[in-house]
Amino acid sequence: MRRDAEAARTGAKEYMLENVANGFGAAQLWDQQRKTMDALIAQTQSAYQARDFCDVLITRQEVDLAMTYCERAYQIEPTSNAVLYTLTYVYNLAKRGEDARRIAQEGLALYPSSVPFMYEMAWAIAISGDQEGAIAYATDAYARASSAGLIQAELLQEFLEKARAW
């Protein structure tokens, strides 16, 4: 009985979080909605809910606010592939190359064959001001990904094509 009540409360929180997130997606970012979302995320232990909300904010081009929620997700679940990748991506969007490099490195330590992490790492190196280093990194990562037969290796090839045009 107690578990049922706890599950109902958790379900209600998740439902409220989803409703508030939908309100954000459909309307402007009102201060009251943000306070409500802050309170709900502070209560939840779900990094994925915070990351999903971060995705909505990225789509709305609210990068600074997205970063806040991605950092919360990272605090809750620091080893999640999805959370680490999204945080790296948001740091790159915000032109915070050193932070993106740090998180991408954490992701690559946990998921060494992750082409998306390699791709974001190349961008982070470039954003940090080292275009030649980014090209060298992406060239090496592309060679490793291709020789391993990783399907997403073309992401790195795409990066190299863009980087060579700099």
Side-chain angles (χ1 to χ4, degrees), residues 20-26 29 49-62 66:
V20 172
N22 288 337
F24 271 119
L29 296 174
Q49 288 174 340
R51 189 193 64 82
D52 289 346
F53 187 63
C54 178
D55 286 341
V56 170
L57 290 165
I58 291 168
T59 302
R60 292 179 52 90
Q61 299 179 357
E62 298 282 348

Side-chain angles (χ1 to χ4, degrees), residues 113-117 119 142 145-146 149-157:
S113 63
S114 172
V115 174
F117 276 121
Y119 178 81
Y142 177 71
S146 293
L150 298 175
I151 296 169
Q152 296 174 323
E154 68 270 2
L155 283 174
L156 293 162
Q157 181 63 37

Side-chain angles (χ1 to χ4, degrees), residues 42-76:
Q43 292 175 18
T44 188
Q45 292 301 306
S46 174
Y48 293 100
Q49 288 174 340
R51 189 193 64 82
D52 289 346
F53 187 63
C54 178
D55 286 341
V56 170
L57 290 165
I58 291 168
T59 302
R60 292 179 52 90
Q61 299 179 357
E62 298 282 348
V63 176
D64 290 338
L65 190 54
M67 198 174 349
T68 299
Y69 288 101
C70 286
E71 288 169 344
R72 279 205 188 127
Y74 175 72
Q75 289 171 353
I76 296 167

Side-chain angles (χ1 to χ4, degrees), residues 86-132:
T86 305
L87 184 55
T88 303
Y89 176 72
V90 169
Y91 280 149
N92 276 336
L93 284 177
K95 306 292 188 228
R96 290 179 52 179
E98 293 304 318
D99 289 325
R101 287 174 83 162
R102 178 178 49 82
I103 299 298
Q105 191 59 49
E106 287 181 33
L108 286 166
L110 293 168
Y111 309 99
S113 63
S114 172
V115 174
F117 276 121
M118 292 176 202
Y119 178 81
E120 292 300 328
M121 176 63 91
W123 276 113
I125 294 169
I127 288 167
S128 296
D130 184 4
Q131 280 76 17
E132 289 179 19

